[in-house]
Amino acid sequence: MPMRLSPLEPEDLDLLYTIENDPALWSVGTANVPYSRYALRDYISGQQCDIYADRQVRLVVRIADGAARDKEVAIGLVDLVDFHPEHRRAEIGFALLREYREKGYGRQAIRLLLDYAGTILHLHSVHAIVPHDNTASLALLRTEGFTDGVTLTDWLLRSDGWHDALLLQKVFK
């Protein structure tokens, strides 16, 4: 069973709770407070799963469960956010559970998301804003055809002060 992307289901609450409440990820996203299970349950149930209505789509990264045939395990999330239909562009985001990082799953998930964005949604471009010191994500995106745009000076505030971020873009041909 290969990797696949799927919409959030009620049974994905624990995955969403773990990722959204990881303080290490707060400095790269738009949230910097913990979310309750109640709030995340409402988020899951309130999605229309329509990028035009929600202006975003959040998909679960699923792989085969090595311990059981025909079962899957959810290992992370990929997002298309800040969707602009008139310009056919969106920002991408991705987060994997710690135990699945640096094993090639991120690359597979990004490839699936890019295929969906270009082939199904017919986006013209996607972009990512990445902390300047997140070398793993920068290398991954560059390998997948993203080019460096601009440096966003003092873009992210962390506990040790302000940090730059890089804007990367992929234009679909």
Side-chain angles (χ1 to χ4, degrees):
M1 188 179 309
M3 176 182 285
R4 72 182 185 97
L5 304 179
S6 68
L8 277 167
E9 299 286 353
E11 55 269 17
D12 296 318
L13 179 61
D14 288 338
L15 170 73
L16 188 60
Y17 184 83
T18 300
I19 288 176
E20 290 292 353
N21 290 306
D22 182 350
L25 298 175
W26 291 348
S27 68
V28 297
T30 57
N32 61 0
V33 296
Y35 285 97
S36 69
R37 288 183 186 281
Y38 179 81
L40 293 173
R41 189 176 302 115
D42 276 357
Y43 170 73
I44 291 171
S45 66
Q47 291 188 108
Q48 296 183 41
C49 297
D50 178 351
I51 195 167
Y52 288 91
D54 296 332
R55 292 291 196 242
Q56 67 175 12
V57 63
R58 173 165 270 184
L59 300 169
V60 179
V61 179
R62 299 184 190 280
I63 61 169
D65 184 346
R69 280 194 160 159
D70 299 330
K71 289 202 173 188
E72 295 176 313
V73 60
I75 66 166
L77 301 167
V78 292
D79 303 304
L80 291 168
V81 300
D82 199 21
F83 171 60
H84 292 272
E86 68 277 14
H87 303 296
R88 294 183 17 225
R89 69 173 179 243
E91 181 179 344
I92 69 162
F94 51 96
L96 298 179
L97 294 172
R98 290 182 194 278
E99 60 267 30
Y100 295 98
R101 295 178 191 165
E102 298 183 16
K103 296 182 182 213
Y105 294 125
R107 176 166 283 116
Q108 289 178 57
I110 292 297
R111 285 181 179 166
L112 288 172
L113 183 64
L114 291 174
D115 184 58
Y116 174 71
T119 305
I120 304 300
L121 297 177
H122 305 289
L123 296 185
H124 176 67
S125 69
V126 292
H127 63 277
I129 297 173
V130 182
H132 69 95
D133 57 356
N134 187 339
T135 56
S137 291
L138 290 169
L140 168 62
L141 293 170
R142 288 171 178 145
T143 299
E144 294 307 315
F146 282 75
T147 57
D148 289 14
V150 298
T151 297
L152 303 167
T153 305
D154 289 347
W155 195 255
L156 302 169
L157 179 59
R158 297 181 183 161
S159 60
D160 63 341
W162 290 97
H163 291 262
D164 294 349
L166 298 176
L167 174 66
L168 293 93
Q169 181 184 29
K170 179 177 179 75
V171 177
F172 296 105
K173 301 289 180 185

